[in-house]
Each structure stands twice: as structure tokens, then as C-alpha cells.
Amino acid sequence: MRIPSATLALPLLLALAGCGGGGTAARTFPGTIELDESDAAPLVGGRVLTVRVTEGDTVRVGDTLAVLTQSQIPANLEDRRARLAAAESRLADLRRGSRPAEITRAEAELAALEADADRTARDLARATQLARDTVISRQDLDRATSAAEAAARRRDAARATLDVLREGSRADQVRTAESEVASARAQLSGARADVGELAVLAAVDGVILGRHTEPGEVVAAGTPLVTIGVVARRWVRVYLPADLIASLPAGAPATIRLPAATGTQQWTGTLGAINPRAEFTPRAALTEQERADLLFAARVALHDSTGLLRPGLPVTVQF
């Protein structure tokens, strides 16, 4: 917990001076009611479309504080949806395998090519015999040989195609398509998250202490738009002398009073974090008297169920 340095006002100096010495009076110190603050900022940049709260408004967790807009997000979302649809279609097609019509067509093509291969093979046999009898030339025999070999290769290729269609998609192709679908879904989820992040929501219950933007402004990711004071976590800022801090254990009980309160109304608290750096002059204590003048900012947790101790009120703290 970081407690910022401040300049001690004259009334505080006079009050501390009046408490100097020992006894009960030396254990009473002026303080101020404070509360924890939470800045609400977007995770993505954009143009502020609307701010739905003003200073002093009470908000609950999940309330919409501001809404941003980005021109490219809708188009990006549609692109991711189209990519996912294409990947899912390809995966479904691979899982279905070949259609019966495709197999029937491949069988017909194979039958035609087998017939052609048989015909050219018979032509080659006749040409071979005629070439032995020197009825046809060597060139005619070479043409018959080439035609027979080409027909045989076309038949073999058609047979291989039919075998692939009958076997269906390979397992590695299906796995690859499944990975593509998963990737497309993740990208679509990220695009949807970006859309969701355009609405800045309250993360805590509290009161709006500051509104730092207006509609139309362009803000970057992480820019605080609204500051929320956490009313449930109020505490007292008090400055304690070094000699008292040395004698106070962690969690020491304290009594808090309103200076203007009537009667004996009081509240309880416990000593929390203490700034390790001394406040006010002198920073470097060389003598015992100078060391006695050192003050340390401390935080006293406040126990208040009445709601009377509002932030900013001056109080007195007694240990």
C-alpha cells in the first residue's frame, strides 16, 4: 500500500505541537477519512460513444459505466464468422467422405479406360505380328506401342482414383481440418471478446469520484475513464511520530471520533500499513530532537456500520 506524501498544514502542526510530551494527550492525532479508489479503463482503444455515470452516482458491480466503438470491429467479427463456417464445412465434407455419385462416375470412367486399354493392347499385338511379317513399318509399330502404354497408364490412374474415393478421407486430413476449425473458433471468440470489451463495466461497488472522459473522445486501451471510490473500504490517514510507532504493534486498536460530534459517539479501527519514509522536514534526522520531530503517514482501518464517517471528514485518532 502506497501512501503519498503531503504537506502538513498549520492547524495540524499546532495540534501535534499541543500533543507533545507524554501521557494520554500525546496519543491523540488528527486524521482524515479516506477510501480506496478503483479506475475503470477499457482493455481496447476506441471512440467514446457514451458515458452513463456522473460524479456522485452510486454503482454496483457489473453496471455499465461507458461504451466505446470501433469501426473495424463489426467487419472483423463477420470475417471471423465466415472463416469458421468455411472450416466447419470442409471438416464436415471430409468426415462424410466421397458421395455415391462420385464413386459411380469414377467406376464408369475406369470401365471406359479399361476397355480402351484392352483395345490398344490388342491393336499392339496385331501390329507386332504384322511388323514381324514386314506388313507394317517400324514407325506404325511404335505408334501402336505408345497408344497401348498411354491407355494402360490412364486406366491405372482411374483405378487409383476410385480406390481413394472408396477409402474416404485420410485420418490426418480430418485432424488437420479439426485443427482449422478450432483455430477459427478461437479467433471468433477473440473478436467477440473485443466487442464485449467496448463496454466498460464497474468492477466494484462504490461511488463515482471522477469522470475523466466525454462522448466523442478517442482513448487508448488502459486509459482511466471513471474513478470509483470503494465505500466499503474506508480508512483514516493519520501522521504518527517515530517514538509512538516504535511502541505500537501491527494491528494496534484505535479509537476514532468526529471533532464536531456530540456526546461520546466513537468508532473503532486498527493500525494498518505505515509509510517507511518519514514525512515533513527534516528528512535526515541527526539528533535525538530531530528524530522526535519525524512523522510517518499511517493507515488505520475503519470499522463503521453507521455510514456517518464519510470520505474527507476530519477525525481524531487515539491509540
Side-chain angles (χ1 to χ4, degrees):
M1 193 276 296
R2 180 177 62 86
I3 302 179
S5 301
T7 303
L8 184 61
L10 180 58
L12 180 58
L13 286 172
L14 295 176
L16 291 175
C19 296
T24 305
R27 295 180 176 271
T28 301
F29 306 91
T32 306
I33 304 296
E34 306 277 357
L35 47 71
D36 289 345
E37 297 180 359
S38 173
D39 288 331
L43 295 181
V44 296
R47 182 171 59 85
V48 178
L49 193 62
T50 180
V51 182
R52 300 185 179 179
V53 294
T54 59
E55 294 181 359
D57 288 349
T58 300
V59 295
R60 309 287 293 179
V61 174
D63 287 350
T64 300
L65 306 177
V67 178
L68 280 67
T69 182
Q70 281 188 3
S71 59
Q72 71 272 23
I73 281 186
N76 184 46
L77 184 60
E78 289 303 319
D79 177 69
R80 298 304 168 85
R81 285 173 178 163
R83 290 175 182 268
L84 175 59
E88 289 177 337
S89 177
R90 184 179 186 296
L91 175 61
D93 186 63
L94 288 174
R95 284 175 173 172
R96 283 193 302 267
S98 302
R99 292 187 292 270
E102 293 177 334
I103 296 177
T104 301
R105 178 180 177 182
E107 290 174 341
E109 290 179 352
L110 176 60
L113 293 173
E114 284 179 338
D116 186 58
D118 291 341
R119 179 183 61 77
T120 54
R122 290 193 297 271
D123 290 345
L124 176 60
R126 287 194 296 270
T128 302
Q129 184 60 43
L130 293 174
R132 289 197 189 102
D133 297 339
T134 65
V135 175
I136 62 173
S137 66
R138 181 66 185 179
Q139 185 178 6
D140 292 335
L141 177 61
D142 292 341
R143 279 198 294 268
T145 302
S146 299
E149 291 176 350
R153 286 195 293 269
R154 288 193 295 271
R155 178 201 58 200
D156 294 342
R159 184 178 291 120
T161 300
L162 179 59
D163 291 341
V164 169
L165 290 175
R166 286 172 175 171
E167 290 176 3
S169 303
R170 298 196 306 269
D172 57 340
Q173 290 178 321
V174 174
R175 287 193 297 269
T176 300
E178 289 173 343
S179 299
E180 292 173 352
V181 170
S183 176
R185 283 176 179 167
Q187 292 176 1
L188 178 59
S189 177
R192 286 173 175 167
D194 288 343
V195 174
E197 295 300 340
L198 292 176
V200 181
L201 308 181
V204 295
D205 298 337
V207 176
I208 302 300
L209 299 182
R211 169 173 161 163
H212 314 304
T213 188
E214 295 297 332
E217 295 182 6
V218 178
V219 298
T223 302
L225 305 183
V226 173
T227 298
I228 303 174
V230 187
V231 180
R233 295 201 294 268
R234 284 169 294 167
W235 49 281
V236 180
R237 187 196 305 277
V238 64
Y239 296 90
L240 305 177
D243 58 346
L244 178 61
I245 290 176
S247 63
L248 288 177
T255 301
I256 294 96
R257 296 185 179 89
L258 286 170
T262 59
T264 59
Q265 190 174 20
Q266 61 186 30
W267 294 263
T268 60
T270 53
L271 180 63
I274 299 175
N275 196 328
R277 298 186 61 182
E279 303 290 335
F280 321 122
T281 56
R283 286 280 185 184
L286 303 178
T287 67
E288 292 297 330
Q289 181 59 39
E290 289 175 337
R291 290 174 183 171
D293 292 337
L294 293 176
L295 297 176
F296 293 83
R299 175 173 176 150
V300 177
L302 181 61
H303 308 148
D304 173 32
S305 59
T306 66
L308 296 177
L309 298 180
R310 299 179 181 276
L313 289 177
V315 294
T316 58
V317 182
Q318 182 175 352
F319 292 95

